[in-house]
Amino acid sequence: AQSVTQPDIHITVSEGASLELRCNYSYGATPYLFWYVQSPGQGLQLLLKYFSGDTLVQGIKGFEAEFKRSQSSFNLRKPSVHWSDAAEYFCAVGASSSNTGKLIFGQGTTLQVKP
Amino acid sequence: NAGVTQTPKFQVLKTGQSMTLQCAQDMNHNSMYWYRQDPGMGLRLIYYSASEGTTDKGEVPNGYNVSRLNKREFSLRLESAAPSQTSVYFCASSLQGSNQPQHFGDGTRLSIL
């Protein structure tokens, strides 16, 4: 069965510092991987996605993520964090063997940005 | 562009009451989903509709029913609300296929007393 783990529940970084949010997945085949961001009181917005090909994917708002099959990871990175990046971030995995569109979400990581 | 619209945005119910959460999308998507979000648990899938005319249970379907009214609309019904169903409910839609990103509404915040 698929599963997603985000090991860090809460992360605090200073504005301008680099950021890495961790995501580990469990799935037998090549997964479809997504990162979403949720601002307070809002729905989820897609940051980026990985299906195949280049393992480093670029997303919106200056975010990127790297798929590492050997580590079953899909970590999200940003070189310089802005105060507006404070939000909750979710990693999700979809099954390439299924056409249902179902996603499994991680528990989420809350990012706090210090001025 | 409206995207995914959920109504109502907030609701307070008493235990045992029933209500229907409405969701509509204007992106001509085939698939629609209902999730609940609880602190520390991420989003959990309640029900989904991979295409018009089909619905299937997700991870936490007990206490809920759904109706795919047409291609645009997918409603979630609580027949007899319980305090354990206090949560934030999100509707999402996507093109059909597991490689398609889902588009989310802004959520319904539901409290059951």
Side-chain angles (χ1 to χ4, degrees):
Chain A
Q2 303 158 249
S3 66
V4 179
T5 301
Q6 295 179 243
D8 305 305
I9 296 173
H10 192 106
I11 283 184
T12 300
V13 300
S14 297
E15 190 168 16
S18 63
L19 172 70
E20 182 170 32
L21 301 182
R22 296 184 291 164
C23 173
N24 295 101
Y25 68 89
S26 174
Y27 183 61
T30 299
Y32 299 136
L33 295 163
F34 305 83
W35 273 100
Y36 287 86
V37 60
Q38 183 183 31
S39 298
Q42 303 291 314
L44 278 70
Q45 179 184 20
L46 180 71
L47 283 176
L48 46 79
K49 59 189 184 227
Y50 171 79
F51 300 148
S52 64
D54 194 347
T55 57
L56 184 64
V57 294
Q58 303 297 320
I60 62 171
K61 304 185 180 187
F63 285 92
E64 66 179 26
E66 186 172 12
F67 171 61
K68 293 186 177 180
R69 184 189 302 276
S70 62
Q71 298 178 19
S72 297
S73 69
F74 188 56
N75 294 349
L76 182 71
R77 301 194 295 247
K78 187 170 185 177
S80 177
V81 169
H82 188 263
W83 64 266
S84 61
D85 294 324
E88 190 161 18
Y89 291 80
F90 292 94
C91 181
V93 61
S96 58
S97 61
S98 163
N99 203 36
T100 63
K102 288 167 58 178
L103 296 179
I104 301 296
F105 284 84
Q107 302 92 323
T109 298
T110 300
L111 173 64
Q112 182 180 359
V113 180
K114 292 190 300 184
Chain B
N1 291 336
V4 178
T5 302
Q6 292 184 236
T7 55
K9 294 190 183 305
F10 302 93
Q11 185 70 48
V12 179
L13 293 178
K14 295 181 179 179
T15 297
Q17 288 185 316
S18 62
M19 85 161 293
T20 300
L21 280 61
Q22 306 288 351
C23 175
Q25 52 90 11
D26 62 1
M27 295 174 283
N28 202 33
H29 285 166
N30 304 97
S31 303
M32 298 185 73
Y33 313 84
W34 276 106
Y35 294 91
R36 60 178 290 172
Q37 183 179 27
D38 302 292
M41 304 193 73
L43 277 76
R44 293 181 291 168
L45 184 64
I46 303 171
Y47 271 93
Y48 67 101
S49 172
S51 61
E52 187 179 358
T54 69
T55 60
D56 285 287
K57 296 178 180 179
E59 182 183 354
V60 289
N62 290 346
Y64 305 95
N65 286 300
V66 291
S67 296
R68 184 75 183 266
L69 305 171
N70 48 55
K71 191 172 185 178
R72 291 186 63 248
E73 298 172 287
F74 188 39
S75 63
L76 178 72
R77 183 162 178 83
L78 287 69
E79 290 289 354
S80 179
S84 61
Q85 294 177 304
T86 293
S87 188
V88 182
Y89 291 85
F90 287 98
C91 178
S93 70
S94 71
L95 294 171
Q96 194 162 6
S98 294
N99 62 346
Q100 299 297 327
Q102 294 180 15
H103 299 256
F104 285 80
D106 286 339
T108 295
R109 283 145 188 83
L110 182 61
S111 292
I112 298 160
L113 307 177

